Amino acid sequence: MKKLEEDFFRLMSPKLTALVTTISEKGREDVATFSWITPVSFNPPMLAISIGPDKHSYWNITRVNEFIVNIPKEEQLNQIWQAGKKWDKEKSNIEKAGLKTRPADKVKPPLLPECAASLECMVETTKKAGDHVIVIGKVVKTHADEELLDDNGNLKVDVARPPLHVADNLFAFPYVTKSV
Ligand SMILES: Cc1cc2nc3c(=O)[nH]c(=O)nc-3n(C[C@H](O)[C@H](O)[C@H](O)COP(=O)(O)O)c2cc1C
């Protein structure tokens, strides 16, 4: 049996799961699924993703210095799963998942317009953390489906119902909102 410490992340679930789009220096577009991702600064607006350095997303992000964090909706669960599969020379996960794309405003990777929101980012810095690398990105442009935002600009989570990753192939949809 594995030590509890090795499995600590299972005690920190569920986590918002993003479809991160990137582009290689040669112009090949890619998408991959990331749930170790969090806001880290209000001003300037910055977020961090923890990425395995063997991932194509990591190579793309650290060479092109740009990426987009797209926040999917409940109906995109299968696309989330597909985007988490291994990189394939023949066909990208964007094509395999049947994801629509459109050009972004400020960065080169493609934007996923079917998602609830998209955050265009430019790399600020990276920091090795054990077997992953934390990529910190500055959010340079945001997009959101207006119908999915409340008056404060919060995502209406009970409507968009973004899949939350528990672990492995398990996702949660715990959407009852309460104000304190
Ligand atoms: C729900 C889910 C969450 C994931 N979260 C992460 C993550 O936070 N960091 C990471 O390095 N890989 C994560 N992965 C694995 C990558 O999505 C996977 O390795 C993918 O094949 C990487 O593709 P790429 O090589 O094209 O970048 C996750 C996979 C799934 C299905």
Side-chain angles (χ1 to χ4, degrees):
M1 207 167 107
K2 267 193 190 172
K3 273 206 231 121
L4 192 57
E5 289 73 23
E6 284 170 29
D7 268 352
F8 76 96
F9 63 91
R10 295 180 192 273
L11 308 177
M12 297 179 71
S13 299
K15 304 200 74 68
L16 184 67
T17 300
L19 290 170
V20 174
T21 40
T22 61
I23 192 165
S24 73
E25 283 173 309
K26 288 187 177 160
R28 179 180 152 143
E29 297 171 343
D30 189 24
V31 66
T33 307
F34 291 93
S35 56
W36 287 9
I37 184 163
T38 183
V40 292
S41 167
F42 286 128
N43 189 13
M46 296 202 287
L47 57 79
I49 317 181
S50 187
I51 307 184
D54 56 330
K55 312 283 158 90
H56 282 78
S57 301
Y58 173 77
W59 302 337
N60 289 351
I61 288 174
T62 51
R63 282 169 175 77
V64 175
N65 286 317
E66 296 176 347
F67 61 98
I68 304 183
V69 172
N70 302 274
I71 311 298
K73 301 184 273 198
E74 180 172 25
E75 61 259 32
Q76 293 178 286
L77 185 59
N78 286 332
Q79 294 174 323
I80 287 174
W81 194 241
Q82 178 59 51
K85 291 192 178 154
K86 247 184 150 17
W87 188 88
D88 171 353
K89 199 163 73 137
E90 306 299 330
K91 212 172 178 190
S92 82
N93 275 339
I94 293 183
E95 278 180 81
K96 284 189 186 171
L99 282 159
K100 289 202 180 100
T101 62
R102 74 159 176 83
D105 290 353
K106 298 205 166 167
V107 299
K108 289 182 277 302
L111 189 139
L112 304 179
E114 291 158 320
C115 286
S118 298
L119 318 179
E120 298 185 26
C121 299
M122 288 186 179
V123 174
E124 277 284 313
T125 188
T126 61
K127 167 86 182 139
K128 191 174 176 332
D131 55 10
H132 277 51
V133 177
I134 300 168
V135 174
I136 298 186
K138 186 167 164 185
V139 180
V140 293
K141 177 85 191 179
T142 59
H143 309 260
D145 179 342
E146 291 289 327
E147 289 184 5
L148 294 177
L149 297 183
D150 70 13
D151 294 343
N152 295 319
N154 294 319
L155 199 61
K156 289 182 188 164
V157 288
D158 47 341
V159 182
R161 295 172 56 84
L164 304 185
H165 192 212
V166 177
D168 310 320
N169 63 348
L170 194 62
F171 291 82
F173 296 89
Y175 292 117
V176 177
T177 54
K178 286 184 193 171
S179 297
V180 284

